[in-house]
Amino acid sequence: MHAAFDWLKRGLVMLVAVLLTTSCSSYFLADADVHPWEVIQVPVKSTLSDIAFTQDANHGWIVGSRNTLLETQDGGSTWQVRELALEDQSYTFTSVDFAGNEGWVSGLPSVLLHTGDGGKTWESVPLSKELPGSPFLVTAVGNKSAEMATDIGAIYRTEDGGRTWKALVQGAVGVVRNMVRSDDGRYVAVSSRGNFYSTWAPGQDQWIPHNRQNSRRLQNMGFDDDGKLWVIARGGQVRFSNSRSSDDFTEALSPEFGTSWGLLDMAFRTANEIWITGGGGNLLCSFDGGKTWLKDKSVGDVPSNFYRVKFLGPEKGFILGQDGTILKYQPEVA
């Protein structure tokens, strides 16, 4: 009995040794050669959700929980808190977007804000009490035009600054974990439990549901600059789409077996440069389209989960997290 147990222990030790020697490059990642992210200090402790800039490339806005609305006039190096009169109601602002100086902010519970002057003044847009769900994602698409998607997948469009709305999809998809819109108007939404995802494209009447690729629940999905999907699943699994099809994915890869259990978001700076954020200051990068990966260990001691990474151009990017965490991409360092 003891001999059998000893042989089992030896076998396990040998197996671990083989794994460490054959795949050590992906078990714990090496540090990246460059560290282009600067931590920006702001006087809030909210979880930050989204960022957008007006037609002035230096004038931008960040939204988040606890009615958080931050404004920058210097390209994101410093941020100031903007207070709005919201009738003592606490909102979590989930999305912000601008087309020129016309901007929109969506939030939970049901709130939608609109500005026509770059944010000098904001007004609350009246919403029907029968609106399916609460505004979750808003996209400015032109002069007085915007698309608004709710947290259960209803999608509406306005052409008159929010006075009237037209439904674009019949029915809803159910409560979503996250939702993203591509530049050409397609949507992907991950279900609240990560059991499945759904897609919608202009001209379709309904959302199209899709099964996940394996037993691992989905964490997040989005589009690259070519409109192809990417997937982050629980356990730090990543997939990329081979085409613009909604279910044509590569085999799963795990950028870092040792610590990538908490991957949360992904963004492409260029066609080949990818950044993935995660819990506990986890920040991974690839410079060859996802074939090999490195880690930016310079931000590993930042006490925050990095929930969102967003590039507004190859030289302009931000990472948003909890407790008012903002990281700004520094192109001169990279």
Side-chain angles (χ1 to χ4, degrees):
M1 184 70 148
H2 290 293
F5 182 72
D6 289 339
W7 277 108
L8 179 60
K9 283 175 46 178
R10 290 181 182 179
L12 290 174
V13 170
M14 292 177 63
L15 177 60
V16 170
V18 170
L19 288 174
L20 290 176
T21 54
T22 59
S23 60
C24 60
S25 62
S26 60
Y27 194 87
F28 289 114
L29 292 175
D31 189 21
D33 292 332
V34 294
H35 305 101
W37 297 94
E38 176 189 4
V39 178
I40 305 297
Q41 301 295 328
V42 293
V44 298
K45 291 296 183 180
S46 308
T47 296
L48 305 180
S49 307
D50 199 9
I51 182 172
F53 280 74
T54 69
Q55 67 181 17
D56 178 352
N58 288 318
H59 186 200
W61 295 85
I62 285 176
V63 297
S65 63
R66 305 177 189 174
N67 296 349
T68 295
L69 195 61
L70 303 177
E71 181 181 17
T72 182
Q73 300 282 0
D74 58 11
S77 296
T78 61
W79 295 85
Q80 294 76 42
V81 177
R82 282 289 303 273
E83 300 285 350
L84 298 180
L86 296 173
E87 300 179 352
D88 297 325
Q89 172 70 51
S90 179
Y91 293 101
T92 294
F93 297 141
T94 56
S95 176
V96 58
D97 198 32
F98 276 85
N101 280 328
E102 186 166 21
W104 304 81
V105 171
S106 62
L108 312 171
S110 191
V111 64
L112 184 67
L113 306 178
H114 175 245
T115 179
D117 54 17
K120 293 180 181 178
T121 58
W122 292 89
E123 62 178 355
S124 181
V125 178
L127 297 172
S128 170
K129 294 181 179 180
E130 298 180 359
L131 178 71
S134 296
F136 185 75
L137 176 67
V138 64
T139 306
V141 294
N143 183 35
K144 295 187 180 300
S145 300
E147 284 183 11
M148 173 186 66
T150 73
D151 58 352
I152 62 171
I155 304 175
Y156 296 88
R157 188 178 180 110
T158 183
E159 303 287 352
D160 56 13
R163 288 194 294 271
T164 61
W165 298 85
K166 177 184 177 182
L168 300 183
V169 59
Q170 302 298 319
V173 72
V175 180
V176 301
R177 172 189 300 274
N178 47 55
M179 182 188 301
V180 178
R181 182 186 186 273
S182 69
D183 291 339
D184 60 359
R186 295 177 296 137
Y187 287 78
V188 61
V190 177
S191 67
S192 60
R193 295 185 177 182
N195 294 331
F196 65 95
Y197 67 100
S198 301
T199 57
W200 180 84
Q204 295 178 340
D205 293 331
Q206 302 282 349
W207 286 88
I208 299 176
H210 304 268
N211 294 324
R212 61 182 189 262
Q213 290 74 38
N214 57 25
S215 61
R216 299 198 181 192
R217 295 178 184 269
L218 305 175
Q219 179 66 39
N220 201 354
M221 295 184 67
F223 297 94
D224 66 15
D225 290 341
D226 293 327
K228 296 186 294 185
L229 287 167
W230 53 260
V231 179
I232 296 176
R234 301 287 180 85
Q237 256 192 16
V238 175
R239 293 175 188 264
F240 299 97
S241 182
N242 294 305
S243 65
R244 286 168 60 93
S245 174
S246 300
D247 50 11
D248 178 24
F249 290 99
T250 62
E251 292 297 320
L253 61 93
S254 296
E256 186 177 42
F257 288 109
T259 60
S260 63
W261 51 269
L263 302 185
L264 300 173
D265 195 22
M266 178 190 302
F268 286 71
R269 191 183 77 85
T270 66
N272 290 318
E273 185 175 328
I274 309 168
W275 291 86
I276 297 181
T277 58
N282 211 14
L283 183 57
L284 311 183
C285 54
S286 173
F287 300 100
D288 55 11
K291 296 177 182 177
T292 60
W293 293 87
L294 298 166
K295 174 180 281 191
D296 188 340
K297 297 183 179 181
S298 68
V299 298
D301 59 351
V302 177
S304 174
N305 295 326
F306 298 152
Y307 290 117
R308 184 79 188 273
V309 53
K310 185 174 183 178
F311 285 95
L312 301 102
E315 308 302 317
K316 192 173 187 177
F318 294 87
I319 292 172
L320 308 179
Q322 64 189 131
D323 293 331
T325 298
I326 301 174
L327 275 61
K328 181 186 177 185
Y329 181 79
Q330 303 291 335
E332 65 274 10
V333 176

